[in-house]
């Protein structure tokens, strides 16, 4: 493993713009539940609709709390989230593209984060359509409500019967693809490649891709370097090795 870590350091030293791509793996390992576990036998299509939330705001909040909020606000960012924030602070990575909605990168201190599925930082009122751009509204132990009309708020990305969610998805993915297109080194960490074809297709010729993942994924065949290790160990080697 030492050889792989040394190769990673060389790649990093030769890179002028490194972008990290992260997935659910870095959150599940540190307490985040899978949404399917929290939804249980309930119909996910119904839950993520304005009509359901209007009638059952506290049930919706309970699902969000079980699936995301406890891990986000009680357990907080993992070692990996904090390491990536420190790497950005040191100028060793330019930014992060993530499929995660939990805002843990931001809470850990990362500043240049593209959440291509949206997140709890972008919310919409189910009645008047007002937007609230603050993840902290979910940290008050109850369903957040619109300051203008008092109706429940939902993460915009979850509101399946609103065009705002679809627009957000398109805009966020475009930003993610733009960031990837400017990178000369891409670190893939804790993701099996959800929607990866939409952003990796923008990689420039000659851009290196390093995968840090203890398990095999679809990136194995295209990666310049595969590191079969816990991400925390690999990033520690970058910070302190």
């Amino acid at each position: 493993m030492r050889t792989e870590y040394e190769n990673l350091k060389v790649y990093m030293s030769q890179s002028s713009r490194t972008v990290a791509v992260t997935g659910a793996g870095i959150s599940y390992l540190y307490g985040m539940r899978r949404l399917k576990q929290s939804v249980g036998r309930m119909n996910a299509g119904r839950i993520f609709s304005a009509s359901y939330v209007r009638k059952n705001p506290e049930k919706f909040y309970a699902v969000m709390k079980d699936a995301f909020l406890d891990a986000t606000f009680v357990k907080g960012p993992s070692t990996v989230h904090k390491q990536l924030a420190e790497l950005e602070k040191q100028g060793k990575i330019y930014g992060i593209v993530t499929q995660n909605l939990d805002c843990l990168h931001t809470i850990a201190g990362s500043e240049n984060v593209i959440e291509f599925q949206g997140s709890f930082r972008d919310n919409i009122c189910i009645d008047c359509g007002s937007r609230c751009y603050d993840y902290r509204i979910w940290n008050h132990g109850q369903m957040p409500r619109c300051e203008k009309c008092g109706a429940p708020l939902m993460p915009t990305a979850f509101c399946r019967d609103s065009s705002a969610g679809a627009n957000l998805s398109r805009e966020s993915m475009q930003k993610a693809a733009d960031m990837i297109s400017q990178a000369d080194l891409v670190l893939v960490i804790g993701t099996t490649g959800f929607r990866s074809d939409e952003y990796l297709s923008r990689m420039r010729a000659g851009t290196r891709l390093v995968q840090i993942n203890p398990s095999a994924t679809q990136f194995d065949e295209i990666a310049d370097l595969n590191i079969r290790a816990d991400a925390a160990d690999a990033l520690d080697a970058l910070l302190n090795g």
Side-chain angles (χ1 to χ4, degrees), residues 10 23 71 125 143 154 166 206 208 210 231:
V10 170
C125 173
M143 189 71 181
M154 292 181 68
R208 287 169 166 163
V210 174

Side-chain angles (χ1 to χ4, degrees), residues 48-68:
F48 300 125
S49 68
S51 59
Y52 179 88
V53 173
R54 189 175 289 110
K55 295 177 181 177
N56 307 280
E58 297 312 318
K59 288 184 179 180
F60 179 82
Y61 178 80
V63 171
M64 296 295 99
K65 183 176 185 297
D66 187 67
F68 299 103

Side-chain angles (χ1 to χ4, degrees), residues 83-159:
Q83 288 170 320
L84 288 170
E86 181 60 26
L87 286 167
E88 181 183 349
K89 182 179 179 181
Q90 294 181 9
K92 294 181 179 179
I93 66 171
Y94 171 74
I96 297 170
V97 169
T98 185
Q99 72 185 59
N100 300 336
L101 302 97
D102 50 37
C103 296
L104 286 171
H105 284 300
T106 298
I107 294 171
S110 294
E111 296 184 1
N112 195 10
V113 182
I114 305 297
E115 298 152 326
F116 65 76
Q117 289 199 96
S119 74
F120 284 89
R121 79 168 78 218
D122 187 337
N123 304 280
I124 188 168
C125 173
I126 62 173
D127 280 355
C128 73
S130 295
R131 302 281 278 275
C132 176
Y133 300 95
D134 188 354
Y135 67 86
R136 293 171 296 182
I137 63 173
W138 292 94
N139 192 26
H140 299 301
Q142 60 187 356
M143 189 71 181
R145 292 186 173 269
C146 177
E147 291 185 352
K148 293 183 178 180
C149 71
L153 295 170
M154 292 181 68
T156 305
F158 286 6
C159 195

